[in-house]
Structure formats: structure tokens, C-alpha cells
Amino acid sequence: MSSQDTKTTRLADIATAMTAVTEAAAISASRWIGLGRKEDGDGAAVEAMRAAFNEQAIDATIVIGEGEKDEAPMLYSGERLGLGGPAVDIAIDPVEGTTLLAKGMPGAIAVLAAAPANTMFRPGPAFYMNKLVVPPAARGAIDPNAPVEAQLKALGKAVGKPVSQLRVFVLERPRHEKLIADIRAAGASCRLVSDGDVLGSLFAVLGDRVDALMGVGGTPEGVISACVARALGGDMFGMMAPQSDEEKAKVEEFGLKPGQILTRDELVSSDEVIFAATGITGDDMLGGVRKVNGRTRTETLLIGGGNQMLRWLTTDRLLND
Ligand code: VTB
């Protein structure tokens, strides 16, 4: 067996476990769809994720938990989970898009990324990151320090489109007013979305709906996005972008510089990455949790590094509720 085959086999084993974890989180969170209580939905997903991890034959270290930024319930960074097995770093977002969940809007997902132990960037207190995510054709073609117009020109050249046909995923936030104006002034268009830049990064890497993702979002989501980019051969840069003096001071104390740019491979230094996402509220990429013939159906997207494969899994479970 070649080393590539060995790697693939090991990944496949962990991959199944990872889908069980995101599915458990999505099912628990789905009970809170549209109830206006995002912390409760997030808390349910966190507890379900923790319980599901502890049933898997892995030695998982949570490198990136979620919650501190939104004062939501935590799966703590540094927490060890699992029954023992391959040592992996885990970045989780039990509900990516808690507001979407609380409002019953499309696009909330339960998501995680896994990679071999000690290969994921530890963001510490850095909550916000300025991201640039592009598809494989543009890998190495974009200067993260260049103005937006120059980046879009380089992107267009790399993907073979005029700038006027490029669309950029941007979170709709007041902080992005200038970015949005710059994108439009360059002749490109924006897909403005209220939440969910992990899905945005996935779309950008796939060149599906958008050609790039730009702007400031959560750092946890950023590391998960870097795993997607690495697994599928796309590119990403993440720039430390503290949004308050307090965050800036903590980031500096931690040894990171505001404005410091991390490459995709600094964000995750292994090709052996796994990404799993299960739809909660559902959108046109991943259906949400729903009842079908008395069973609970989930839709999960699984991406395994190395072979650049995307796998969609539809699972129906008989649950007692
Ligand atoms: C983004 C988005 C997330 O946080 O990362 C965003 O993808 C950034 O934080 O779904 P702000 O909302 O504070 O701008 C989320 O919206 C989740 O909190």
C-alpha cells in the first residue's frame, strides 16, 4: 500500500466519526430553529457534539472552540475528547450561524474540521480575522497586501473571467462599507450575507455562486475555512483584525501582531484535513434537519484532504422524540 493509500484509509476512519459528530449537533440544534434563543440552540449543539465525540475512537484536542466571542456555551480550547485513537486537532463551530438558527433562516450548519495533532493554528484571544479566500485556479496569484482592485484583476486573470463577472462573498456589516464600495468600484459585484462565512469560504473555494470571499469574520470560522481551502486546493490568507482595543491588547500579549498575515498553510499545516458540515436550517447546498416518514433526516457534506473529494451523505435515523 502506498503512503497515500495509508493516509486515505486513516482519514476515512476519522471521517465517519466526524460526520456522526456534526449530525448529532445539527439534530440537537434543530429543536431550537426559529425560537429566538441562539444561546440555547448553541448550547444544545455543544453538548451533543461533546457527547458524540466521546463515543468516537479518536484522541481529539479542541484547538478552536466556539462561544467566547458571543458569550455562548463553550467547548473549551484544550479540551480532550474521544475514546482514544488517532491524535487530531479539532476546530468546531457547533452552530455556524446562531442568528440564522434563532430566526429560522437558511444557512445555519453544524461544522468541524479535523487535522493531525499540532497542525492547526491556535488563535488564542484573536476573535476576528480579515479573510481572503479564492479557488484553486487563483492559488498563489493574489497579493494579500494589494488593493482590492488589483486583487480582483489578478483573480479575474487567474480564473479566466473579466472583473465585471466576478462576485465576492462579503458579510453584510458596517465595517465592510469601504470593502463593498471598493469591490463595486473595481467593476465586480457582491453577494452580501448576514452570517455564515464558512459556507461563503466553501463557495469561494468551489467557485460556486462566488469567486472569492473577502472581509472580516470570526477567527474560528477562519481556521475552519483554511481547512476547506487546503482540502480542496484553494488559497486563503487570514489577517489578524482585532475589532476592539481590548482584543488588540490581548492579541498582542498572545504574541500576534494586528495586521499580521497568515497563509493557508500557516493556518493548517497538513494536507490530511477533514471537513464535515451538517445542515441545520437548510439551504440550497445542504438540506436542513427534517422528518421523513417518521425518521430524522440529515444532510452532511464531507470533504477529505488529499483526495479532494466531496461527499454528500443523506442519513435517516429513528429517534425517540
Ligand atoms: C462571521 C459569521 C458567523 O460571526 O464569522 C461572524 O460567519 C463574525 O462576527 O456566522 P460578527 O457577527 O461579530 O460580525 C458569525 O456571524 C457568528 O457569530
Side-chain angles (χ1 to χ4, degrees):
M1 205 189 261
S2 74
S3 69
Q4 182 59 38
D5 289 339
T6 319
K7 272 186 185 172
T8 310
T9 310
R10 223 172 77 204
L11 270 177
D13 293 345
I14 304 171
T16 311
M18 296 302 96
T19 61
V21 171
T22 56
E23 284 161 9
I27 291 167
S28 282
S30 71
R31 302 186 179 109
W32 297 92
I33 292 174
L35 296 180
R37 292 159 62 180
K38 60 181 195 164
E39 275 81 24
D40 290 329
D42 207 24
V46 166
E47 288 314 321
M49 234 185 207
R50 180 180 281 121
F53 264 121
N54 282 332
E55 287 173 6
Q56 311 305 327
I58 53 169
D59 174 3
T61 301
I62 302 294
V63 170
I64 291 174
E66 149 82 351
E68 216 177 320
K69 171 167 77 66
D70 303 321
E71 289 171 10
M74 296 279 284
L75 254 174
Y76 296 93
S77 298
E79 191 171 338
R80 296 276 292 276
L81 299 167
L83 297 168
V88 288
D89 279 356
I90 303 277
I92 52 127
D93 202 345
V95 179
E96 154 66 336
T98 49
T99 305
L100 301 174
L101 171 74
K103 290 185 176 176
M105 286 165 63
I109 55 173
V111 62
L112 66 77
N118 301 312
T119 59
M120 270 185 203
F121 169 66
R122 270 79 168 150
F127 296 151
Y128 287 99
M129 177 186 268
N130 192 5
K131 308 167 195 182
L132 173 62
V133 185
V134 293
R139 175 148 168 78
I142 319 280
D143 173 0
N145 289 306
V148 168
E149 188 183 4
Q151 290 180 341
L152 290 172
K153 268 197 191 137
L155 175 64
K157 205 169 152 210
V159 301
K161 285 185 186 178
V163 171
S164 60
Q165 279 178 27
L166 295 177
R167 181 157 297 156
V168 183
F169 184 106
V170 182
L171 284 174
E172 193 165 22
R173 296 287 187 278
R175 63 176 177 262
H176 290 148
E177 228 171 83
K178 179 169 186 309
L179 172 64
I180 294 164
D182 286 350
I183 291 168
R184 290 177 176 155
S189 61
C190 295
R191 182 182 174 106
L192 296 176
V193 176
S194 68
D195 294 280
D197 67 355
V198 171
L199 271 186
S201 298
L202 176 65
F203 295 152
V205 171
L206 293 174
D208 176 1
R209 300 163 176 82
V210 295
D211 304 282
L213 174 141
M214 292 180 177
V216 176
T219 305
E221 291 88 346
V223 177
I224 295 173
S225 298
C227 291
V228 173
R230 180 121 193 190
L232 295 174
D235 212 354
M236 172 164 178
F237 295 95
M239 191 187 295
M240 294 297 117
Q243 297 296 299
S244 67
D245 290 344
E246 192 196 345
E247 187 190 349
K248 186 166 174 277
K250 282 192 187 163
V251 164
E252 282 171 338
E253 202 180 305
F254 188 69
L256 294 164
K257 288 191 202 75
Q260 181 178 341
I261 297 175
L262 298 171
T263 62
R264 181 196 77 175
D265 295 354
E266 285 169 331
L267 291 166
V268 58
S269 65
S270 169
D271 280 331
E272 267 198 278
V273 286
I274 292 169
F275 167 89
T278 302
I280 304 172
T281 51
D283 67 357
D284 53 1
M285 173 154 252
L286 277 174
V289 179
R290 60 199 183 277
K291 285 281 181 204
V292 178
N293 299 329
R295 289 173 175 264
T296 303
R297 176 166 295 176
T298 52
E299 284 182 30
T300 298
L301 171 60
L302 176 63
I303 301 172
N307 56 17
Q308 303 210 353
M309 214 157 55
L310 285 83
R311 207 173 261 164
W312 275 266
L313 304 163
T314 303
T315 309
D316 290 356
R317 290 180 169 82
L318 198 52
L319 300 175
N320 309 319
D321 63 349

